[in-house]
Every structure is written in structure tokens, then in C-alpha cells.
Amino acid sequence: MEYQQREYPLFSACGLNCGLCPRYQMDGVSKCPGCAGKDFLEKHPKCGVLSCCQRKGIEYCYQCDEFPCKKYDNADKFDSFITHLHQFRDLEKAKNLGINAYKQELNEKIYVLEQLLVNYDDGRHKSLFCLAVNLLEAEDGKLVLKRLNADTQANAPRKEKAAYAAKLLQAMADQQSIPLKLRKKTK
């Protein structure tokens, strides 16, 4: 199936925050374009959820009368490159707040993540930063970023800055009992 390119590929039809995925936040041939973003078929040959949405003429699954359908059985139990933990919550948030308000919140999170990656990643913390920003609220991420900017010296070693950023994100997650670990499917 040919997919119609989506206007906002950073929030997927199924509720994943593609803009916060390590594969989206990379350079090179493995970079993911987001949900039905430019050249999507080169990275994801088939997506049953996206095909279903486009067949029905809807942008997001929450707009469907059948949601959640069989395609979502255990969808939030395991992760891939990106966490699925808040997938249903984020779809519900988009539905209740309105998609434009949700996009604004997601854009704020993407900004925080990009600042972390540009200024604090030592090449070993991208997945943790992506996961933390995805699972924490946008305001939590902004608070961590504000503290990092206040507490770290611009010329401090990158490794030291990355460790401190990871420590602050972990502490924020611990306060809220949010595990910062992708959940792998057991065989």
C-alpha cells in the first residue's frame, strides 16, 4: 500500500511519539522519518495500523469507533526503539486536549530532547534521554534542562555533563516511580 504522507509525522497514528524516538533523532540511512513521513516506505514497508487509518480516512486511531481494536492487543506491554508505555495515555490526551494542544506539548518535549542531545549527550545517552523525555511530563523536562543549564559549565567535559543530565532525569523519574528502561518481549 502507498501511504499518504502525513502533515505531522512526529505523533503516530497509533499513539507513539515518533519525534522522541532515537531512530528519528539520528542522522544517516537508518533515520526514521516518523509516521508516514517523507520516504516512510523505505524504512517501514508495512504498518497495519497506518494502513487501517488511511483506509478509513482518519489521522489517529482514537478517531475510530472501533478503537482500541485487536491491533492493540498487548501494544503497551513491550517496547521497540521507543517506549509504548504511554501509548494509550497519549492518544487519550490528544483526544481530550485536542490534537493541536497535544502537538504543542510534544513539540516542547522534542525541543527539550534536542537540547539534551546537542548540549549534554556524550554519544552514549541518547536512548536514555529519549526515553526519559517521552515518559516525563514536558514541564519535568524543562525543569531538568533549566537545572542543567544553571549547574553545568559550558566547557565541562561532555562525559561529565552527560552523566549529570542522566542523574537528574533518573531522579525525576524515580520521584514519580517511572522506570527508565525499555521493556523487552521475553521469548
Side-chain angles (χ1 to χ4, degrees):
M1 171 181 193
E2 285 292 320
Y3 295 111
Q4 179 181 351
Q5 189 170 331
R6 296 176 75 231
E7 175 190 331
Y8 189 78
L10 306 180
F11 184 53
S12 73
C14 69
L16 296 177
N17 293 312
C18 296
L20 301 174
C21 179
R23 289 208 46 222
Y24 181 83
Q25 293 291 337
M26 68 182 304
D27 295 320
V29 296
S30 295
K31 179 178 174 65
C32 178
C35 181
K38 189 175 185 300
D39 301 324
F40 180 79
L41 284 173
E42 291 176 19
K43 308 295 180 197
H44 302 279
K46 186 174 188 309
C47 176
V49 172
L50 183 59
S51 297
C52 181
C53 282
Q54 291 198 347
R55 226 180 5 262
K56 292 179 178 184
I58 57 176
E59 282 283 314
Y60 303 98
C61 289
Y62 71 79
Q63 297 168 316
C64 181
D65 293 336
E66 299 173 40
F67 177 76
C69 68
K70 194 173 171 180
K71 289 178 179 62
Y72 281 90
D73 289 350
N74 296 314
D76 61 345
K77 301 291 184 227
F78 309 103
D79 302 316
S80 56
F81 293 103
I82 187 169
T83 182
H84 294 233
L85 187 62
H86 290 169
Q87 188 173 7
F88 289 116
R89 184 199 74 172
D90 291 341
L91 281 168
E92 193 66 30
K93 192 185 277 190
K95 180 180 179 179
N96 294 333
L97 291 175
I99 192 62
N100 289 332
Y102 186 79
K103 287 177 185 178
Q104 182 178 343
E105 182 180 309
L106 181 55
N107 288 338
E108 290 173 12
K109 286 183 161 195
I110 291 168
Y111 174 79
V112 168
L113 176 59
E114 289 172 347
Q115 291 303 302
L116 287 168
L117 293 174
V118 167
N119 298 304
Y120 299 96
D121 185 36
D122 62 353
R124 300 174 63 177
H125 287 85
K126 181 187 281 188
S127 292
L128 175 70
F129 291 171
C130 290
L131 182 61
V133 173
N134 201 336
L135 293 175
L136 295 169
E137 293 298 324
E139 290 306 313
D140 297 332
K142 289 180 197 175
L143 285 172
V144 167
L145 196 57
K146 186 177 180 180
R147 183 151 176 214
L148 282 167
N149 290 334
D151 292 352
T152 57
Q153 300 291 329
N155 61 350
R158 182 66 76 138
K159 189 174 181 179
E160 183 180 302
K161 289 168 49 171
Y164 187 56
K167 179 181 173 182
L168 290 179
L169 289 166
Q170 186 65 59
M172 183 69 76
D174 288 346
Q175 287 174 358
Q176 300 173 38
S177 300
I178 297 173
L180 293 184
K181 188 170 177 100
L182 289 175
R183 299 155 309 139
K184 299 294 181 190
K185 193 172 190 174
T186 56
K187 294 179 183 184

